[in-house]
């Protein structure tokens, strides 16, 4: 154990009345809710990047946070210390999973081969830590957006050498994820998009991205990786226009390149909001299209209009999200990764714990609310009643191959069909939801 967190003891569940800021008030890992423990439902993960790789520097100011592994001359020793502190934190929180980019865990070398060796060395450390602590890998990914070689994209770069380099880097990250028994492998389209159409051939770029994803899926099968490949939609930032705009756009892309049964989505709260959607909209679209995979939990500042990646603290928003996740059958290989970071003035090691404790409690409380909503059932029966007309034979017949516009028109005339509006009862529904929060 490192001394980064001082003498902080593992975080325990103390119940809603607890005033201890280093205790869970709602997250009770072994509590059974709708037939599964909270831990099994929520499958929490801590992300490596915001948590261990950011020191508070922003475009206007220097670093604010003490991170003894950042800025050291012996970068590999620093990477080992970072891994040590990371697993200390996973154990203090009692989270079952973590997630990382290849470049989060080990320094980039002078060549890809050297970078790969650095990643392998830390993966060796992880292997042992996983063995010791029982913490698992929710997902791995490759950072193919930070280095300037990726400034015009990775698989969508006009330069085929960047496509090749990206493929080689993803191969190594997928191998690492496989070795660590990762539950999923994520591709967030970091700079897969464009700044201006004036210099961009979108047809080529999409075809290249489609082939790239097929290469990833083919390789996954080749090595016998049985985790899920996930795309993480985001509409903009860092590029002005990102190709993986939202869930529906990703589905169209997967269909076009024949991958709709191979790839699912990792939905991030802040990205949904940037796309002009609610989080639950994106979840329910993914359920509807059969591609729901995992989530990146955070929240945006509704005022600033950026992906501010704050820790979730909005119980009503998370309740609706979990309501739709549970209705869709819950997570399988996916989970709830905190793609969340501290604010720049939160400089104490304990702040990392407060952020995660608050996020986990928000989600746990939301899980209880969502489970109550489902068990009580009024909202579901309201929706069923609203569509009940479709259960008749005549209604179903319209959807069959034998029906036609003229047959339907003839029936409308013959039966004198004259629909009367019915209330959608939105306020009633909203009040109903609030009964459970
Ligand atoms: C950035 C993304 C990124 C992915 C992993 O906005 O959320 O952090 O989750 O590459
Ligand atoms: Ni994310
Ligand atoms: Ni994000």
């Amino acid at each position: 154990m490192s001394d980064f967190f001082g003498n902080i003891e593992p975080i325990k569940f103390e119940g809603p009345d607890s005033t201890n800021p280093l205790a869970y008030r709602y997250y009770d890992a072994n509590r059974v809710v709708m037939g599964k423990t909270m831990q099994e439902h929520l499958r929490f993960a801590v992300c490596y990047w915001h948590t261990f790789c950011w020191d508070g520097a922003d475009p206007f100011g220097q670093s604010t946070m003490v991170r003894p592994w950042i800025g050291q001359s012996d970068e590999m020793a620093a990477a080992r210390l970072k891994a040590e502190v990371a697993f200390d934190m996973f154990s203090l929180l009692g989270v079952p999973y973590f997630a990382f980019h290849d470049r989060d865990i080990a320094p980039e070398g002078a060549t890809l081969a050297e970078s790969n060796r650095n990643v392998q060395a830390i993966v060796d450390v992880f292997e042992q830590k996983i063995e010791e602590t029982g913490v698992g890998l929710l997902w791995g990914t490759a950072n193919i957006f930070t280095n300037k070689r990726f400034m015009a994209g990775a698989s969508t770069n006009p330069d085929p050498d960047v496509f090749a380099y990206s493929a080689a880097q993803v191969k190594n990250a997928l191998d690492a994820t496989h070795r660590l028994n990762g539950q999923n492998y994520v591709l967030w389209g970091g700079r897969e998009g464009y700044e201006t159409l004036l210099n961009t051939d979108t047809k080529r770029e999409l075809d290249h991205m489609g082939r790239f994803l097929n290469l990833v899926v083919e390789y996954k099968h080749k090595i016998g990786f049985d985790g899920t490949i996930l795309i993480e939609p985001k509409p903009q930032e860092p590029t002005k226009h990102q190709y993986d705009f939202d869930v529906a756009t990703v589905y169209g892309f997967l269909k076009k390149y024949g991958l709709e049964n191979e790839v699912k989505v990792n939905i991030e709260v802040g990205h949904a909001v940037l796309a002009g959607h609610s989080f639950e909209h994106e979840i329910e679209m993914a359920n509807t299209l059969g591609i729901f995979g995992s989530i990146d939990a955070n929240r945006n500042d509704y005022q600033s209009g950026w992906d501010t990646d704050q820790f979730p603290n909005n119980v009503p928003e998370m309740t609706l999200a979990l309501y739709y996740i549970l209705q869709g059958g819950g997570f399988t290989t996916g989970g709830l990764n905190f793609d969340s970071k501290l604010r720049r003035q939160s400089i104490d090691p304990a702040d990392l714990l407060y952020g995660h404790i608050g996020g986990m409690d928000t989600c746990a409380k939301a899980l209880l609310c969502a489970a109550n909503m489902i068990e009580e059932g009024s909202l579901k029966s309201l929706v069923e009643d609203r569509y009940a007309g479709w259960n008749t034979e005549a209604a179903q017949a319209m959807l069959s191959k034998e029906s036609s516009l003229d047959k339907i028109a003839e029936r409308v005339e013959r039966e004198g069909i004259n629909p009367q509006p019915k209330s959608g009862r939105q306020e009633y529904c909203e009040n109903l939801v609030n009964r459970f929060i």
Side-chain angles (χ1 to χ4, degrees), residues 49-50 188 232-234 237 268-271 274 296 298 300 307-309 339:
W49 50 104
H50 292 317
W188 166 58
E232 184 176 319
K234 185 174 185 180
E237 193 209 21
E268 180 163 318
V269 186
H271 300 181
L274 286 182
D296 268 10
N298 52 31
N300 275 9
D307 189 15
T308 56
D309 290 332
D339 195 345

Side-chain angles (χ1 to χ4, degrees), residues 270-290:
H271 300 181
V273 171
L274 286 182
H277 300 305
S278 65
F279 184 34
E280 64 271 19
H281 165 91
E282 289 290 81
I283 290 167
E284 192 57 351
M285 273 302 119
N287 280 339
T288 301
L289 297 166

Side-chain angles (χ1 to χ4, degrees), residues 351-366:
D351 289 315
L352 284 171
L353 299 173
Y354 298 139
H356 285 89
I357 291 169
M360 289 164 73
D361 261 349
T362 298
C363 297
K365 188 172 182 185

Side-chain angles (χ1 to χ4, degrees), residues 204-222:
R204 267 186 201 269
E205 292 202 358
L206 279 178
D207 283 350
H208 296 171
M209 198 164 91
R211 182 62 197 132
F212 192 90
L213 191 56
N214 268 285
L215 288 167
V216 173
V217 168
E218 286 159 18
Y219 187 67
K220 160 199 155 148
H221 290 302
K222 188 168 173 181

